[in-house]
């Protein structure tokens, strides 16, 4: 942000959104719309520079992880655990309720069933979508 003071916050947000869509989204239509806005605002040079920096940062990060001999499964586990951090106060509150073991099992079963249902439905959806796409082509 300090490197190009003539860029507004809106410009920086647009460039950031373009980078996020480039790396983390498969929605080509939205990416195309954002890239059109970037071109219209004549921000393509700044976008390209930021995209190069993002690529460099990603490569440096993965190189760092490889140098630590951390496998993908370990990284994915670390990322998964970060989503549990906000639950710590909730778990503390649940612990203070003095629930018996059967109630705790019921809560765990409900949460695991919910997560399992989401994973299964996403898997089935993607499987059916792939089958339909295969038959279309």
């Amino acid at each position: 942000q300090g490197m190009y003071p003539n860029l507004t916050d809106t410009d920086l947000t647009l460039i950031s959104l373009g980078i996020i869509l480039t790396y983390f989204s498969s929605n080509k239509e939205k990416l195309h719309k954002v890239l059109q806005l970037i071109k219209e605002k004549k921000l393509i040079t700044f976008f390209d520079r930021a995209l190069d920096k993002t690529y460099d940062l990603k490569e440096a990060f993965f190189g760092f992880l490889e140098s630590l001999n951390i496998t993908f499964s370990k990284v994915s586990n670390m990322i998964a655990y970060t989503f549990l951090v906000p639950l710590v106060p909730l778990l503390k509150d649940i612990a203070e309720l003095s629930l018996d073991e059967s109630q705790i099992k019921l809560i765990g079963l409900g949460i695991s069933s919910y997560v399992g249902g989401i994973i299964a439905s996403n898997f089935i959806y993607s499987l059916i979508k792939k089958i339909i796409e295969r038959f279309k082509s």
Side-chain angles (χ1 to χ4, degrees), residues 3-4 15 17 41 49 51-52 71 73 81-82 85 91 99 106 108 113 118 129 134-135:
M3 210 169 171
Y4 303 104
I15 291 169
L17 182 61
K41 290 187 159 221
R49 288 178 188 163
L51 197 60
D52 288 342
T71 63
S73 62
Y81 286 127
T82 61
V85 171
L91 293 174
L99 299 174
L106 185 62
S113 297
I118 289 175
K129 186 177 176 182
R134 176 73 52 106
F135 282 124

Side-chain angles (χ1 to χ4, degrees), residues 77-90:
N77 284 341
M78 288 189 297
I79 291 171
Y81 286 127
T82 61
F83 291 106
L84 294 177
V85 171
L87 297 178
V88 171
L90 178 65

Side-chain angles (χ1 to χ4, degrees), residues 14 34-44 47:
L14 184 61
V34 170
L35 290 176
Q36 283 300 114
L37 283 172
I38 290 172
K39 287 177 186 175
E40 287 172 12
K41 290 187 159 221
K42 296 182 171 82
L43 298 172
I44 196 72
F47 174 76

Side-chain angles (χ1 to χ4, degrees), residues 1 4 6-24 31 33-54:
Q1 186 173 9
Y4 303 104
N6 55 332
L7 293 177
T8 65
D9 286 341
T10 306
D11 295 339
L12 292 173
T13 302
L14 184 61
I15 291 169
S16 298
L17 182 61
I19 290 170
I20 290 169
L21 287 173
T22 300
Y23 277 105
F24 301 110
L31 176 61
K33 287 179 183 179
V34 170
L35 290 176
Q36 283 300 114
L37 283 172
I38 290 172
K39 287 177 186 175
E40 287 172 12
K41 290 187 159 221
K42 296 182 171 82
L43 298 172
I44 196 72
T45 303
F46 302 111
F47 174 76
D48 289 341
R49 288 178 188 163
L51 197 60
D52 288 342
K53 287 292 182 188
T54 304

Side-chain angles (χ1 to χ4, degrees), residues 30-127:
K30 286 184 182 178
L31 176 61
H32 180 70
K33 287 179 183 179
V34 170
L35 290 176
Q36 283 300 114
L37 283 172
I38 290 172
K39 287 177 186 175
E40 287 172 12
K41 290 187 159 221
K42 296 182 171 82
L43 298 172
I44 196 72
T45 303
F46 302 111
F47 174 76
D48 289 341
R49 288 178 188 163
L51 197 60
D52 288 342
K53 287 292 182 188
T54 304
Y55 178 78
D56 292 344
L57 180 63
K58 182 186 91 165
E59 291 300 312
F61 177 69
F62 285 125
F64 172 71
L65 292 178
E66 284 178 2
S67 72
L68 296 175
N69 284 329
I70 296 178
T71 63
F72 178 75
S73 62
K74 289 181 182 177
V75 173
S76 63
N77 284 341
M78 288 189 297
I79 291 171
Y81 286 127
T82 61
F83 291 106
L84 294 177
V85 171
L87 297 178
V88 171
L90 178 65
L91 293 174
K92 180 184 175 290
D93 291 341
I94 290 173
E96 291 173 353
L97 290 176
S98 300
L99 299 174
D100 65 20
E101 189 174 333
S102 65
Q103 291 171 317
I104 293 172
K105 283 183 182 179
L106 185 62
I107 291 171
L109 180 64
I111 291 171
S112 63
S113 297
Y114 172 74
V115 170
I118 289 175
I119 291 170
S121 67
N122 285 337
F123 174 74
I124 291 170
Y125 170 77
S126 64
L127 180 67

